[in-house]
């Protein structure tokens, strides 16, 4: 639901739009009653020269969103895409949420975008009707013109802007949304606006932003999470050519949220000089309580912990009774290590402090979080922070956390000049908000067909909640809602339990978040059960799913985090999961490809971000134990698809991302310090290691648009290990796969 | 004083001879199409051509560029679009786009040396270029289209 108003161009878009333009602001209806009076989230301007300016308020990190949402507006507007200019929004609460995260941009903004476009089109049609003195209903917007079929009259949009600006806004009930058959861009294979620039190196990322007179900073940060600066000696730094000065950044106050980690910065006239100066710094730290943290020891602790009962977070039937009466029990523990996002573009921002205000250009997924975090760091109002959003060279959740922007702003205030902060890859790998390491204990009681009569799933991991509450040890609702308390299998007795665990590094969300480890444990365990029962794995999963139905999810002591959506609108639907599994099986030739020597298929089907995905992965394991992935088939039901071409590219990319974390990703810590530093010891999949080809099968769906950026990730790791088991007989219960010798 | 050519123009550099070419291109000349991804020759984001050869500019010091001709992504298709750039658009290769300058420069050097590369030759040549968004299959497809070879 939305509200649309005409607004003054000056107040809202400033110089971004020409004089005499018609500008509409569109407000999403807020869920909370106490929402601000009017805070439009979509802007659409029509200039007298006919250019349609559409504001993209979401961040572009490779999903295509800053093209695809404007295409929705343009479609309803009947705009000629060649005459559309996309304008990236600055951070401002008036846009509603700009947090580009959680695979929700389409889901949350599709309707508002359509209504914005349809309103402007109707205004133009009414303007033409007035000009020609004919009924508005006879005028039709068509590809940047309004036409009157009866008289053959035709007027360009630009020539109608002046009249349209004088008309009252049409009522919502008068809007005529286009039928699907008339869609011009929605559902079509439209290329995004940035493709051409990227072939010429012309896209402007955070790392490319400059401000006149700026200094470059390289920052030595506390080597251990929570360590504090004892002393430093910068005498050797000053001799480095190009170095201007050093400066300290105070450490954070718990909870750390998105505050800067603190440290000692070297400021210089080039990136290189700053980095050289930093090498000459001598810094002493007080390491604090995490100074003895060891990730190997922590793994042992977690794997022991999950053998014990925990806090019950879902309880169906009577698991204990079923276990007591069971003829056969199967149990297994799984482990997934800490992971780093490692987007190709490092965290980067340039900021200037001037007269109590901050202006920044930043690669950020969430410019409003930048405003808040920077305002907090500087003791100013968030309205006094202007955040320009650049292109992002990948985000994956890392760039939702603007600690690096705080660094730039704080340093700028200290040195009285704009400051650019670019993290090195070593900084990025060593000071990330890591994807949590997690241990999962699974136990099933089995009937004589090897089907579970009872299912227990315990998880322990440091929670993302520790970012916002330093004492947090139990999982957040969000983490529990991700493939854990929402398991849809038809099993009479089901319990999920959580054991508390304290964080020793910063923990954050990474593409697909808690689904990563839960999907790995759940689907690996299913694979083990199918193997133990000597049953075909696809047939076994279909059996577990049971009859097509909607499964109400009722966790214990909390509400089910269904991506903040109601279960009425987005139920857990086993029929949709069955369908994608069948499609993936059919397209991959599952039934006819029996495992050969060192070659086999693996499968997993998982619902995440309201989207249903099944992956069939083919692996080859050579006689030296090296794994290659010749082919992946992924079937996806994401509800309505707005841009199938970008949807496929997201799923192809997710298969590679999933392969990286399955095969090679691992962050470890010794003496409180992260061991890995760069792509040599934190490898990600390269062209020869990634799936050679991923076939994406978009399953036609009448369901509302769900999400596409993340749901391709979770099934990949368990499908790979399922295939490796089928090919080699080796069961992998701990990621990454490279830790296990396969021959 | 180091003299070199960048995208056809003569340049002189009298800064720190140890400074990597990458930072000269980005910070001094404002050729920001060449990207920084690791600083250690591990990712290929910084790939440029030095005398026609694909080179990691992050580990190439300025003193080693004396008398050389450097081509960056900005110079690659300056006169007319390179077939790889057209193929890249045809396949909609880019996601975030950050790695793609390096990918295209690497692929351009490959096609110069091997105009009809095999699958294995593409893999071997492109292995040093990471794409965290995972666009590899389209990169391979675009190279094959530009080279006019069948997948
Ligand atoms: S930045 Fe040069 S290879 Fe990575
Ligand atoms: S397109 Fe994003 S890293 Fe390659």
């Amino acid at each position: 639901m939305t509200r649309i108003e005409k607004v003054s161009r000056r107040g809202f878009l400033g110089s971004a739009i020409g004089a005499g333009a018609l500008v509409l602001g569109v407000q999403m209806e807020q869920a909370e009653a106490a929402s601000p009076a009017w805070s439009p989230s979509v802007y659409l301007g029509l200039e007298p020269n006919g250019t349609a300016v559409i504001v993209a308020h979401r961040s572009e990190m490779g999903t295509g969103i800053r093209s695809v949402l404007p295409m929705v507006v343009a479609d309803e507007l009947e705009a000629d895409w060649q005459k559309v200019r996309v304008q990236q929004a600055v951070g401002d609460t008036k846009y509603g949420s700009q947090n580009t995260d959680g695979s929700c941009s389409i889901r949350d903004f599709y309707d508002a975008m359509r209504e914005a476009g349809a309103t402007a089109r109707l205004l133009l049609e009414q303007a033409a009707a007035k000009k020609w003195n004919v009924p508005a209903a006879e005028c039709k917007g068509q590809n940047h013109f309004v036409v009157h079929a009866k008289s053959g009259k035709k007027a360009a949009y630009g020539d109608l802007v002046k009249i349209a600006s004088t008309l009252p806004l049409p009522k919502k009930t008068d809007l005529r949304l286009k039928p699907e058959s008339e869609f011009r861009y929605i559902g079509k294979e439209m290329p995004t606006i940035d493709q051409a620039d990227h072939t010429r190196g012309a896209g402007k990322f955070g790392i490319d932003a400059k401000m006149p007179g700026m200094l470059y900073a390289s920052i030595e940060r506390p080597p251990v999470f929570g360590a504090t600066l004892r002393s430093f000696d910068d005498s050797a730094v000053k001799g480095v050519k190009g170095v201007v000065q050093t400066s300290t950044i105070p450490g954070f106050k718990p909870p750390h949220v998105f505050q800067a980690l603190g440290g000692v910065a070297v400021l210089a006239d080039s990136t290189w000089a700053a980095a050289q100066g930093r090498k000459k710094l001598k810094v002493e730290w007080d390491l604090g309580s995490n100074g003895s943290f060891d990730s190997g020891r922590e793994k042992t602790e977690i794997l022991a912990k999950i053998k014990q009962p925990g806090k019950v977070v879902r309880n169906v039937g009577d698991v204990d009774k079923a276990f007591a009466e069971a003829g056969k029990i199967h149990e297994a523990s799984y482990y997934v290590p800490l992971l780093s996002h490692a987007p190709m573009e490092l965290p980067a921002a340039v900021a200037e402090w001037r007269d109590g205000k901050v202006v920044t250009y930043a690669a950020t997924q969430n410019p409003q979080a930048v405003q808040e975090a920077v305002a907090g760091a500087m003791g100013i109002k968030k309205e006094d922070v202007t955040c320009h959003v650049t292109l992002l060279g990948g985000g994956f959740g890392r760039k939702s956390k603007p600690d690096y922007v705080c660094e730039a702003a704080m340093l700028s205030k200290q040195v009285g000049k704009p400051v650019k902060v670019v993290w090195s890859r070593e900084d990025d790998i060593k000071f990330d908000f890591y994807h949590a390491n997690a241990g999962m204990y699974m136990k099933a009681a089995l009937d004589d067909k090897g089907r579970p009569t009872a299912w227990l799933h315990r998880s322990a991991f440091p929670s993302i909640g520790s970012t916002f509450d330093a004492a947090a040890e139990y999982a957040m609702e969000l983490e529990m809602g991700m493939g854990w308390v929402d398991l849809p299998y038809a099993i009479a007795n089901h319990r999920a339990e959580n054991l508390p665990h304290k964080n020793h590094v910063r923990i954050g969300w990474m593409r697909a978040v808690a689904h990563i480890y839960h999907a790995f444990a759940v689907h690996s365990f299913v694979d083990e059960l199918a193997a133990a029962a000597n049953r075909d794995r696809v047939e076994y999963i279909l059996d577990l799913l049971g009859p097509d139905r909607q499964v109400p999810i009722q966790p214990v002591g909390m509400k089910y985090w269904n991506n903040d959506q109601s279960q009425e609108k987005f139920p857990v639907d086993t029929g949709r999961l069955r369908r994608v599994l069948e499609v993936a099986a059919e397209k991959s030739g599952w039934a006819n490809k029996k495992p050969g020597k060192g070659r086999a298929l693996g499968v997993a089907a998982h619902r995440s971000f309201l989207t249903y995905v099944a992956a069939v992965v083919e692996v080859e394991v050579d006689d030296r134990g090296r794994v290659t992935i010749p082919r992946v088939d992924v079937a996806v039901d994401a509800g309505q698809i707005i841009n199938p071409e970008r949807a496929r590219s997201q799923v192809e990319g997710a298969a590679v991302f999933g392969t990286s974390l399955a095969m090679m990703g691992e962050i470890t810590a010794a003496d409180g310090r992260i061991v890995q530093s760069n792509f040599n010891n934190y490898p990600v999949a390269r062209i020869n290691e990634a799936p050679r080809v991923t076939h994406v099968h978009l399953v036609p769906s009448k369901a509302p648009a769900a999400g596409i950026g993340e749901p391709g990730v979770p099934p990949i790791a368990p499908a790979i290990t399922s295939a490796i088991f089928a090919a080699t007989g080796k069961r992998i219960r701990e990621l990454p796969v490279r830790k296990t010798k396969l021959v | 004083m180091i003299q070199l050519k960048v995208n056809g123009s003569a340049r002189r550099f009298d800064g720190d001879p140890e400074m990597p070419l990458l930072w000269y291109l980005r910070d001094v000349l404002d050729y920001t199409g060449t990207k920084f991804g690791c600083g250690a020759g591990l990712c290929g984001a910084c790939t440029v051509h030095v005398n026609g050869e694909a080179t990691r500019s992050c580990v190439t010091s300025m003193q080693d560029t004396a008398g050389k001709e450097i081509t960056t992504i900005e110079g690659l298709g300056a006169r007319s679009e390179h077939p790889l750039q057209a193929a890249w658009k045809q396949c909609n290769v880019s996601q975030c786009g950050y790695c793609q300058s390096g990918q295209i420069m690497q692929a351009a050097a490959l096609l110069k040396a091997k105009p009809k590369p095999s699958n294995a030759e593409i893999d071997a040549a492109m292995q040093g270029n990471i794409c965290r968004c995972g666009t590899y299959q389209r990169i391979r497809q675009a190279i094959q289209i530009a080279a006019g070879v069948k997948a």
Side-chain angles (χ1 to χ4, degrees):
Chain A
M1 300 301 285
T2 46
R3 174 175 152 202
I4 300 183
E5 284 191 11
K6 278 195 285 191
V7 295
S8 92
R9 85 184 164 87
R10 206 160 287 282
F12 293 94
L13 284 158
S15 56
I17 192 160
L22 166 69
V23 183
L24 300 179
V26 184
Q27 180 185 26
M28 299 273 297
E29 196 180 65
Q30 307 278 334
E32 316 91 78
S35 60
W38 196 64
S39 57
S41 54
V42 184
Y43 286 94
L44 165 61
L46 256 177
E47 295 178 336
N49 67 8
T51 304
V53 180
I54 303 177
V55 174
H57 70 298
R58 313 288 288 176
S59 294
E60 182 58 81
M61 54 187 156
T63 62
I65 197 63
R66 83 158 177 165
S67 300
V68 176
L69 277 179
M71 280 172 197
V72 175
V73 180
D75 200 324
E76 283 293 352
L77 175 60
E78 268 292 314
D80 174 350
W81 186 244
Q82 299 310 316
K83 297 194 177 112
V84 171
R85 191 174 80 230
V86 173
Q87 174 77 33
Q88 186 76 45
V90 298
D92 197 319
T93 49
K94 74 190 179 196
Y95 294 113
S97 170
Q98 290 176 273
N99 186 12
T100 314
D101 211 316
S103 301
C104 65
S105 295
I106 296 284
R107 182 168 79 232
D108 290 350
F109 293 99
Y110 178 68
D111 292 339
M113 295 289 163
R114 288 187 70 185
E115 285 174 22
T119 302
R121 171 167 46 84
L122 184 54
L123 269 174
L124 292 161
E125 288 164 352
Q126 289 171 342
K130 192 167 170 194
K131 181 173 171 161
W132 299 327
N133 206 9
V134 298
E138 293 177 3
C139 297
K140 212 166 178 283
Q142 255 173 19
N143 205 24
H144 242 82
F145 290 90
V146 176
V147 293
H148 184 246
K150 273 192 190 160
S151 64
K153 286 199 170 88
K154 190 173 176 182
Y157 276 4
D159 298 336
L160 297 166
V161 166
K162 207 165 162 200
I163 306 176
S165 334
T166 65
L167 298 176
L169 270 181
K171 283 203 294 290
K172 198 169 149 138
T173 43
D174 294 339
L175 293 185
R176 194 181 50 82
L177 292 181
K178 289 162 80 172
E180 211 180 301
S181 57
E182 286 176 25
F183 282 161
R184 220 172 246 289
Y185 311 122
I186 297 171
K188 304 291 192 307
E189 309 265 318
M190 290 285 293
T192 57
I193 56 172
D194 296 305
Q195 283 295 343
D197 277 357
H198 289 325
T199 68
R200 295 183 285 111
K204 291 292 175 222
F205 295 84
I207 197 174
D208 303 326
K210 287 193 173 175
M211 287 176 122
M214 71 182 187
L215 294 180
Y216 297 80
S218 184
I219 303 166
E220 189 70 16
R221 299 177 184 81
V224 169
F225 176 61
T228 49
L229 182 65
R230 187 190 300 158
S231 64
F232 72 99
D233 172 1
D234 63 359
S235 47
V237 178
K238 308 244 161 82
V240 174
K241 194 165 170 245
V243 167
V244 176
Q245 71 177 89
T246 58
S247 185
T248 57
I249 303 176
F252 62 84
K253 294 190 190 61
H256 55 275
V257 195
F258 307 142
Q259 296 173 76
L261 282 170
V264 184
V266 175
L267 295 119
D269 62 5
S270 74
T271 312
W272 175 247
Q276 293 311 101
R278 179 177 165 194
K279 283 190 194 154
K280 297 263 165 25
L281 268 179
K282 292 198 188 74
V283 189
E284 303 274 344
W285 306 94
D286 287 316
L287 296 183
S289 60
N290 291 317
S292 59
F293 171 56
D294 180 284
S295 58
R297 227 172 32 232
E298 184 187 40
K299 181 174 95 181
T300 312
E301 267 167 40
I302 288 180
L303 289 173
K305 187 180 282 191
I306 53 178
K307 296 280 163 58
Q308 306 302 319
K311 181 173 93 175
V312 175
V313 293
R314 186 188 187 190
N315 199 15
V316 179
D318 189 340
V319 171
D320 293 325
K321 183 158 171 280
F323 282 140
E325 291 169 358
K328 223 170 147 191
I329 299 277
H330 191 91
E331 54 189 336
S333 294
Y334 301 90
Y335 193 76
V336 177
L338 290 166
L339 295 168
S340 181
H341 303 77
M344 281 313 291
E345 181 199 25
L346 287 314
V350 54
E352 177 172 32
W353 164 273
R354 183 184 285 186
D355 305 331
K357 296 186 179 181
V358 172
V359 176
T360 179
Y361 293 79
T364 177
Q365 290 174 245
N366 190 354
Q368 290 173 35
V370 168
Q371 291 181 287
E372 261 168 51
V374 170
M378 316 301 288
I380 58 176
K381 295 198 305 276
K382 68 174 195 256
E383 294 73 29
D384 289 334
V385 178
T386 304
C387 180
H388 298 277
V389 180
T390 65
L391 290 176
L392 281 67
F396 312 119
R398 173 61 184 92
K399 293 175 187 166
S400 302
K401 299 135 188 141
D403 52 337
Y404 50 98
V405 193
C406 295
E407 291 174 339
M410 292 163 93
L411 288 172
S412 172
K413 186 175 180 185
Q414 291 180 34
V415 305
K417 285 184 174 163
V419 170
K420 179 165 178 177
V421 169
V422 175
W423 288 34
S424 69
R425 182 58 67 190
E426 288 77 8
D427 295 337
D428 176 55
I429 302 288
K430 288 192 181 295
F431 304 108
D432 199 359
F433 288 77
Y434 300 94
H435 172 77
N437 51 322
M440 281 72 49
Y441 169 77
M442 317 290 296
K443 181 177 177 183
L446 303 165
D447 66 15
D448 52 5
K449 292 200 181 62
R451 197 184 186 290
T453 55
W455 175 285
L456 170 66
H457 173 169
R458 284 194 199 121
S459 291
F461 50 85
S463 170
I464 291 165
S466 61
T467 299
F468 307 101
D469 168 8
E473 294 196 5
Y474 281 103
M476 299 169 78
E477 282 176 6
L478 163 146
E479 291 161 315
M480 298 195 219
M482 292 187 170
W484 184 11
V485 302
D486 53 348
L487 195 72
Y489 298 150
I491 300 173
N493 306 291
H494 181 115
R495 194 162 69 207
E497 295 176 5
N498 180 207
L499 289 117
H501 194 73
K502 171 110 193 67
N503 70 302
H504 299 284
V505 294
R506 295 195 293 184
I507 299 295
W509 50 99
M510 187 183 83
R511 190 179 192 178
V513 200
H515 284 289
I516 291 172
Y517 40 82
H518 288 140
F520 175 63
V522 165
H523 306 303
S524 295
F525 194 57
V526 167
D527 202 67
E528 292 198 26
L529 298 181
N534 208 5
R535 288 171 61 177
D536 176 80
R537 287 162 293 156
V538 169
E539 176 269 324
Y540 188 85
I541 299 168
L542 291 172
D543 185 15
L544 283 185
L545 287 174
D548 290 0
R549 69 204 186 287
Q550 296 179 354
V551 182
I553 304 296
Q554 288 158 325
V556 176
M558 56 161 185
K559 61 178 203 313
Y560 168 42
W561 182 85
N562 192 31
N563 297 262
D564 294 325
Q565 299 290 323
S566 73
Q567 292 191 60
E568 287 70 48
K569 188 172 180 195
F570 289 100
V572 175
D573 186 333
T574 61
R576 294 175 73 187
L577 205 47
R578 171 187 57 77
R579 180 97 183 95
V580 291
L581 178 57
E582 287 170 348
V583 170
E586 184 207 315
K587 301 285 185 185
S588 64
W590 176 268
N592 303 319
K593 285 191 194 162
K594 293 301 167 207
K597 194 179 169 311
R599 210 211 94 252
L601 303 184
V603 60
H606 191 81
R607 173 186 184 267
S608 67
F609 304 93
L610 313 170
T611 289
Y612 300 78
V613 181
V616 172
V617 174
E618 182 173 357
V619 303
E620 273 174 28
V621 185
D622 72 12
D623 31 358
R624 285 159 55 196
R626 280 183 316 203
V627 179
T628 48
I629 304 175
R631 172 172 175 151
V632 174
D633 284 86
V634 190
V636 181
D637 174 357
Q640 186 189 5
I641 297 284
I642 313 304
N643 186 311
E645 192 285 313
R646 281 299 88 179
R648 284 196 307 273
S649 81
Q650 280 301 293
V651 179
E652 292 165 12
V656 179
F657 200 86
T659 299
S660 291
L661 71 91
M663 299 303 298
M664 54 197 85
E666 182 182 34
I667 291 291
T668 58
D671 299 325
R673 295 161 202 254
I674 299 301
V675 174
Q676 290 71 25
S677 55
N678 208 320
F679 292 121
N680 55 336
N681 48 22
Y682 185 71
V684 298
R686 294 173 180 273
I687 194 168
N688 55 320
E689 298 160 322
R692 174 155 293 268
V693 59
T694 297
H695 297 282
V696 181
H697 313 286
L698 298 175
V699 176
S701 180
K702 291 256 173 289
I708 200 72
E710 294 165 276
V713 174
I716 297 299
I720 288 175
T721 51
S722 152
I724 290 175
F725 177 77
T728 66
K730 288 255 177 184
R731 179 60 70 189
I732 289 164
R733 289 174 171 168
E734 180 182 344
L735 296 182
V737 169
R738 74 178 156 102
K739 297 186 73 165
T740 305
K741 272 203 120 10
L742 293 176
V743 290
Chain B
M1 176 73 71
I2 293 159
Q3 301 196 18
L4 69 162
K5 258 187 170 180
V6 181
N7 295 334
S9 306
R11 300 280 183 175
R12 293 153 170 274
F13 175 76
D14 62 359
D16 180 356
E18 296 288 333
M19 179 154 101
L21 173 60
L22 169 67
W23 300 114
Y24 174 65
L25 294 172
R26 290 184 53 80
D27 290 353
V28 182
L29 300 186
D30 214 12
Y31 280 129
T32 54
T34 304
K35 297 303 191 211
F36 168 51
C38 71
L42 298 166
C43 77
C46 65
T47 305
V48 299
H49 294 173
V50 177
N51 287 354
E53 281 198 39
T55 304
R56 307 293 184 234
S57 63
C58 72
V59 287
T60 303
S61 63
M62 286 307 293
Q63 63 203 353
D64 293 336
T65 67
K68 304 274 171 70
E69 288 202 26
I70 315 296
T71 308
T72 70
I73 186 74
E74 290 90 348
L76 181 74
R79 259 179 243 126
S80 63
E81 188 174 64
H82 192 284
L84 283 167
Q85 291 170 312
W88 241 249
K89 285 190 278 187
Q90 188 186 332
C91 300
N92 292 308
V93 171
S94 289
Q95 288 187 29
C96 80
Y98 192 79
C99 72
Q100 302 297 349
S101 304
Q103 304 277 4
I104 290 172
M105 294 309 283
Q106 184 71 33
L110 165 68
L111 292 193
K112 215 170 346 106
K114 299 199 169 85
K116 305 272 172 201
S118 67
N119 251 321
E121 284 168 337
I122 292 174
D123 272 18
M126 302 305 294
Q127 242 174 68
N129 291 72
I130 294 174
C131 175
R132 185 66 162 144
C133 297
T135 63
Y136 297 123
Q137 74 187 51
R138 297 193 192 207
I139 287 173
R140 187 182 294 111
Q141 186 192 4
I143 293 173
Q144 286 165 336
I145 287 173
V149 296
K150 277 240 166 65

